[in-house]
Each structure stands twice: as structure tokens, then as C-alpha cells.
């Protein structure tokens, strides 16, 4: 596997890790929390992130993936489908499968877009009155072979943070 694909796989793993960090311990109401002004809810963001990764898959396998996948019955099912999709993309990157666009295009387009939405998930946690504790991501246990929902806890969480819930 070339270095570009290794880095893309690692970026996928960072997406998986940060997604779970934003979701871990979220209150029950979080999945449908609305910030207003037609902003996507967390469940809508996860579904959109799945569509982005499905779009990536089409550059390897052809075909199409719906821009708006059918809703699943639970938030956990949506999160599971998202992780299954990034695992599928990770497997394609690890294979000899040809991609019809460059690694740079994957990164600047759907990969960067997905990471932006991970940040929105974290921001919505704060707006839903359940902020996510900060950590130093340089030391996070992120591995390219771990794209599933079962991500490790923070390796170096900040001991103090002013936004901590009382």
C-alpha cells in the first residue's frame, strides 16, 4: 500500500475515533437535538456522513450511493451503518482497488467534509448542554485497522476544563 493510502486510512481512523468521542455519553435527547435554523440534527449528520463515505466507495466500485440514505429505526443503528461504511472504505484503501480520483481529491472533498461534520457533532453536544471533554489528540490511540464504533477512551484527557458540567 502506498503512503497516500496509508494516510487516508489513518484519517478515516481519526474520523472514527473523533465521532465516537463526540457521541460517547451523549444524553438520550442528543440524537434529535435541533440547534434551529434548519441545521442538521446529530442523527441527520451521521446519515449524511454515511452518504459521504458511500460516495467515496463509488470512486472504487462504481455505481451510486443515495445522497439521503433511508433512515434507520434508531440512532445506534445509524451510527453502526456509518462505521460499517468507513470500514468498507478502509478495506478498499487497503486493497489494490483502483480509485477514479486522486488521494488529494478524496481528502479535500468527502474526507474533509466528513471531519467537518464530526466537529458539528461535538458542537451540538455543547449546545445540547452536554459538552465533550477536551483531550490532546496527538496522543490519541488511533489506528488505521480500528474503524468500528468501539473506540478507546482518551489517552490524555485534559484534567481541567472550564466548560465542564457541574
Amino acid at each position: 500500500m502506498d503512503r497516500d493510502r496509508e494516510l487516508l486510512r489513518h484519517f478515516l481512523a481519526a474520523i472514527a475515533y473523533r465521532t465516537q468521542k463526540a457521541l460517547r455519553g451523549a444524553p438520550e435527547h442528543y440524537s434529535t437535538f435541533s440547534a434551529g435554523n434548519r441545521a442538521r440534527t446529530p442523527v441527520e449528520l451521521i446519515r449524511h456522513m454515511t452518504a459521504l463515505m458511500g460516495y467515496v466507495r463509488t470512486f472504487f466500485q462504481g455505481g451510486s450511493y443515495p445522497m439521503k440514505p433511508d433512515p434507520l429505526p434508531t440512532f445506534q443503528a445509524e451510527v453502526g451503518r456509518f462505521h460499517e461504511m468507513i470500514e468498507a472504505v478502509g478495506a478498499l484503501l487497503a486493497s489494490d482497488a483502483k480509485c477514479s480520483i486522486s488521494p488529494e481529491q478524496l481528502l479535500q472533498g468527502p474526507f474533509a467534509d466528513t471531519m467537518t461534520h464530526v466537529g458539528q457533532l461535538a458542537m451540538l453536544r455543547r449546545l445540547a448542554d452536554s459538552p465533550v471533554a477536551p483531550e490532546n489528540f496527538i496522543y490519541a490511540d488511533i489506528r488505521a485497522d480500528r474503524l468500528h464504533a468501539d473506540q478507546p477512551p482518551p489517552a490524555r484527557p485534559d484534567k481541567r476544563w472550564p466548560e465542564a458540567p457541574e
Side-chain angles (χ1 to χ4, degrees), residues 137-166:
F137 286 106
I138 290 173
Y139 301 103
D141 183 14
I142 296 172
R143 295 191 342 235
D145 64 339
R146 188 172 44 223
L147 301 175
H148 48 73
D150 186 20
Q151 295 291 317
R156 294 215 186 155
D158 290 4
K159 293 188 184 347
R160 295 178 42 141
W161 49 297
E163 305 86 357
E166 308 261 336

Side-chain angles (χ1 to χ4, degrees), residues 35-163:
N37 203 28
R38 296 186 302 274
R40 289 182 177 122
T41 64
V43 71
E44 291 168 335
L45 283 170
I46 292 290
R47 195 173 305 124
H48 177 62
M49 291 161 60
T50 300
L52 287 167
M53 291 295 106
Y55 181 54
V56 168
R57 193 174 64 180
T58 69
F59 292 111
F60 289 91
Q61 298 178 333
S64 63
Y65 193 86
M67 286 183 58
K68 291 188 175 187
D70 290 336
L72 295 177
T74 67
F75 186 55
Q76 284 311 107
E78 293 284 359
V79 172
R81 176 170 62 181
F82 167 68
H83 281 280
E84 288 171 7
M85 187 59 73
I86 62 173
E87 286 180 294
V89 170
L92 288 165
L93 287 168
S95 75
D96 291 331
K98 300 284 187 239
C99 185
S100 63
I101 63 173
S102 71
E104 293 84 359
Q105 288 172 306
L106 286 173
L107 183 60
Q108 75 193 29
F111 279 45
D113 194 14
T114 302
M115 188 62 91
T116 296
H117 296 310
V118 173
Q120 292 170 336
L121 289 170
M123 176 63 77
L124 289 172
R125 276 290 296 271
R126 181 177 297 270
L127 293 174
D129 202 27
S130 180
V132 177
E135 74 175 279
N136 188 335
F137 286 106
I138 290 173
Y139 301 103
D141 183 14
I142 296 172
R143 295 191 342 235
D145 64 339
R146 188 172 44 223
L147 301 175
H148 48 73
D150 186 20
Q151 295 291 317
R156 294 215 186 155
D158 290 4
K159 293 188 184 347
R160 295 178 42 141
W161 49 297
E163 305 86 357

Side-chain angles (χ1 to χ4, degrees), residues 25-39:
E28 188 68 30
H29 73 279
Y30 171 71
S31 67
T32 57
F33 175 77
S34 174
N37 203 28
R38 296 186 302 274

